[in-house]
Amino acid sequence: NVTLDGQGHLIDGDDSGGTDYGVTATGRKNITVKNLNVTDFRDGFYLASTNNSYIENVTAYSNIEYGIVLFDSSDNNQLSNIMANSNDIAGIAFDSSSHNNQLLNITANSNFFGFYLQSSSNNSIFSLAVSNATFGISISDSFDNSIQNVVLNNSKQNAIVVVSSSSRNNLLRNITITNTNSSFRDLFFQTAGINGTQLIDMHHIGNYSFTGSGGTIIVKDSRYGEIKFLQAVNGSGTNF
């Protein structure tokens, strides 16, 4: 077991890009990184093939690509109490078969993607605040994820975008969406055949679009009940 406790210090890169990271671990397990601030690297925190580890009480800002990225089968990790702002690609990303991770108490402001899921499944995201992102949340080729208790404010393009028919059976619960650019969507299913999405206690979805033939969804309000669409929902509109 290895613990890196930054005790509130800052690691400041030189903005050169390349392959420099503030903190990186490859092929590791049972590590803890905490109480650390990282800026001006390619990625603030980069974990590849790293499992059963913790990142907690950190900030990652003004990095050239990602604030924090779990990559290449990084599984069973927990990220908590994190601020990831002004990163050029994403505040936080789970990518390339990174499964069964937990994300808790996250603030992500002014990133291109607030939170980005790519080819990663069975992850749990709870208590996420995203503002001033180009895209609030992006889900691509990722299934069986749970995203709950989220605020998405002032998205410059789509607040939530779901891509690929393999992005099935994701649960979106108690997500508040405000001030999305009116030229874009609060909820955008970019690909037909995205099935099994659960929309639970999402009391206002403004502009929405289900591309092509659409996909099957389940809409539930804990106060009133559930509607399960057995056939695909398609088209676009307002006030879903």
Side-chain angles (χ1 to χ4, degrees):
N1 296 348
V2 175
T3 296
L4 172 61
D5 185 347
Q7 298 183 351
H9 289 288
L10 171 68
I11 301 176
D12 192 347
D14 60 5
D15 275 321
S16 64
T19 56
D20 63 340
Y21 310 105
V23 174
T24 181
T26 300
R28 304 295 180 180
K29 62 181 179 179
N30 299 319
I31 66 172
T32 298
V33 181
K34 61 183 181 179
N35 305 323
L36 186 62
N37 308 300
V38 175
T39 186
D40 293 336
F41 289 89
R42 191 184 88 167
D43 302 328
F45 297 82
Y46 176 90
L47 273 59
S49 305
T50 294
N51 305 314
N52 304 313
S53 295
Y54 298 86
I55 299 177
E56 55 192 41
N57 301 321
V58 303
T59 65
Y61 62 95
S62 299
N63 295 289
I64 295 169
E65 293 191 1
Y66 300 97
I68 300 175
V69 57
L70 303 186
F71 188 75
D72 193 17
S73 301
S74 289
D75 303 331
N76 301 305
N77 300 292
Q78 181 174 296
L79 285 63
S80 62
N81 302 320
I82 290 167
M83 183 174 292
N85 297 338
S86 301
N87 300 286
D88 289 353
I89 294 182
I92 297 178
F94 296 170
D95 199 351
S96 299
S97 300
S98 293
H99 307 315
N100 300 306
N101 298 291
Q102 295 184 351
L103 192 63
L104 176 66
N105 294 334
I106 308 300
T107 300
N109 299 324
S110 302
N111 305 284
F112 188 81
F113 295 104
F115 176 64
Y116 179 77
L117 270 173
Q118 170 69 44
S119 302
S120 297
S121 300
N122 295 294
N123 297 290
S124 177
I125 294 87
F126 190 88
S127 189
L128 170 67
V130 176
S131 66
N132 299 309
T134 303
F135 298 92
I137 295 173
S138 176
I139 302 170
S140 180
D141 290 303
S142 301
F143 56 87
D144 291 329
N145 296 286
S146 172
I147 301 175
Q148 303 186 57
N149 291 13
V150 176
V151 175
L152 303 175
N153 181 51
N154 204 35
S155 300
K156 298 172 186 175
Q157 295 189 31
N158 301 304
I160 301 173
V161 58
V162 186
V163 183
S164 173
S165 60
S166 63
S167 293
R168 62 188 181 275
N169 301 328
N170 291 298
L171 182 149
L172 307 176
R173 181 196 297 267
N174 191 26
I175 299 178
T176 300
I177 304 172
T178 56
N179 302 316
T180 302
N181 184 329
S182 60
S183 298
F184 293 91
R185 313 290 185 185
D186 285 349
L187 180 64
F188 181 38
F189 281 51
Q190 189 172 320
T191 311
I194 299 171
N195 294 320
T197 304
Q198 298 184 60
L199 306 175
I200 302 176
D201 294 333
M202 294 178 63
H203 300 305
H204 176 72
I205 298 173
N207 291 344
Y208 66 88
S209 181
F210 295 87
T211 297
S213 60
T216 60
I217 62 173
I218 298 170
V219 180
K220 181 177 180 179
D221 187 309
S222 296
R223 300 169 297 177
Y224 302 119
E226 175 181 295
I227 300 173
K228 184 175 183 179
F229 291 84
L230 301 179
Q231 296 182 339
V233 174
N234 59 18
S236 59
T238 59
N239 298 320
F240 181 78

